[in-house]
Amino acid sequence: MATVDVLNSAGKKVSETQLSDEIFNTPIKKSVLHEVVRSQLVAKREGTAACKTRGMVSGSTRKLFRQKGTGNARAGSVKSPLRKGGGVIFGPSPRSYAIKVPKKVKKLALKMALSSKVEDNTIYIIDDFNLETIKTREFVNVLNALDLSDLLIVSDAEEATLLLSSRNIPDVKVIKTEGLNVYDILKFKNLLLVESTIKNIEGRLS
């Protein structure tokens, strides 16, 4: 088991904790991570682009002019895609871009992402933030004491103190254990876990 120091809000070591090898020491396969990250990103696409085909365009079905004798090319409908205001040929229609990934693969990719942070020594544990009020300045002081930036924070605290104190700081994101995902873990350089979340993460992925 990997042993990681537990820090307090002043950046000082207060204890140590062990991380389960089953979760935090999984062999990393880039193909699995790529598949899950891609599925997350394409799921964000709305897929609402649409246009009208000739069957959807409003207009008369009357033949524009007689077939022969006018010198013009024959035309049967004002809704033809060849005419101004007509329908669109092979245009976009509402669709879903979602890619289905098995639950087992998602869980495996999450283990791999966490293991990559342990491998790169960019995972940190804090006992508690000890924020009494919603103050961005106090939160910044904690980050300065920890000497961390480009940071994903995982906390199960119910109060909004941490979330509201951190929302104005660029390159910092706070999520709960339930929202932990591969894309966010890999997007941010550093991962900071509140000590109480470790059991929840291990319980979710074991």
Side-chain angles (χ1 to χ4, degrees):
M1 289 188 177
T3 302
V4 181
D5 294 341
V6 179
L7 310 175
N8 59 17
S9 56
K12 296 181 180 180
K13 177 181 175 180
V14 292
S15 63
E16 292 181 349
T17 187
Q18 290 186 331
L19 302 178
S20 170
D21 285 342
E22 181 186 355
I23 311 298
F24 295 92
N25 191 24
T26 302
I28 300 170
K29 295 182 180 179
K30 292 183 179 180
S31 59
V32 176
L33 294 174
H34 176 269
E35 180 182 1
V36 175
V37 169
R38 181 167 174 260
S39 70
Q40 283 188 244
L41 294 179
V42 297
K44 294 181 179 180
R45 299 185 65 178
E46 293 185 353
T48 54
C51 61
K52 292 183 178 181
T53 63
R54 65 183 298 161
M56 300 175 183
V57 175
S58 61
S60 173
T61 57
R62 179 179 179 272
K63 188 171 174 64
L64 297 179
F65 43 80
R66 62 196 179 97
Q67 182 85 343
K68 295 180 178 293
T70 64
N72 295 315
R74 53 194 173 184
S77 172
V78 71
K79 299 186 285 185
S80 169
L82 303 179
R83 307 188 69 85
K84 182 180 180 181
V88 177
I89 305 174
F90 302 131
S93 57
R95 55 167 291 190
S96 171
Y97 289 93
I99 299 175
K100 291 185 178 180
V101 178
K103 290 182 179 180
K104 289 184 178 179
V105 177
K106 289 181 179 179
K107 183 181 289 188
L108 179 61
L110 199 50
K111 292 180 182 179
M112 291 179 180
L114 292 169
S115 298
S116 70
K117 293 300 180 184
V118 176
E119 186 177 298
D120 296 338
N121 293 319
T122 54
I123 187 169
Y124 302 90
I125 313 293
I126 188 172
D127 58 352
D128 195 2
F129 278 91
N130 297 320
L131 298 176
E132 297 180 357
T133 58
I134 300 173
K135 286 289 184 181
T136 301
R137 183 182 300 172
E138 292 182 9
F139 180 76
V140 171
N141 290 337
V142 175
L143 294 187
N144 290 337
L146 297 172
D147 192 23
L148 293 176
S149 60
D150 194 7
L151 182 64
L152 176 66
I153 301 172
V154 183
S155 173
D156 283 334
E158 292 296 334
E159 72 275 0
T161 307
L162 177 60
L163 181 63
L164 296 178
S165 297
S166 63
R167 64 179 178 177
N168 288 333
I169 303 176
D171 299 326
V172 173
K173 183 176 182 178
V174 178
I175 60 175
K176 289 190 174 183
T177 306
E178 294 81 4
L180 193 62
N181 62 87
V182 177
Y183 176 70
D184 280 336
I185 294 174
L186 299 180
K187 177 184 177 182
F188 293 90
K189 179 181 178 181
N190 297 304
L191 175 64
L192 179 62
L193 304 178
V194 176
E195 189 176 13
S196 59
T197 64
I198 296 177
K199 289 185 179 179
N200 293 336
I201 293 173
E202 292 178 348
R204 173 185 170 186
L205 298 179
S206 60

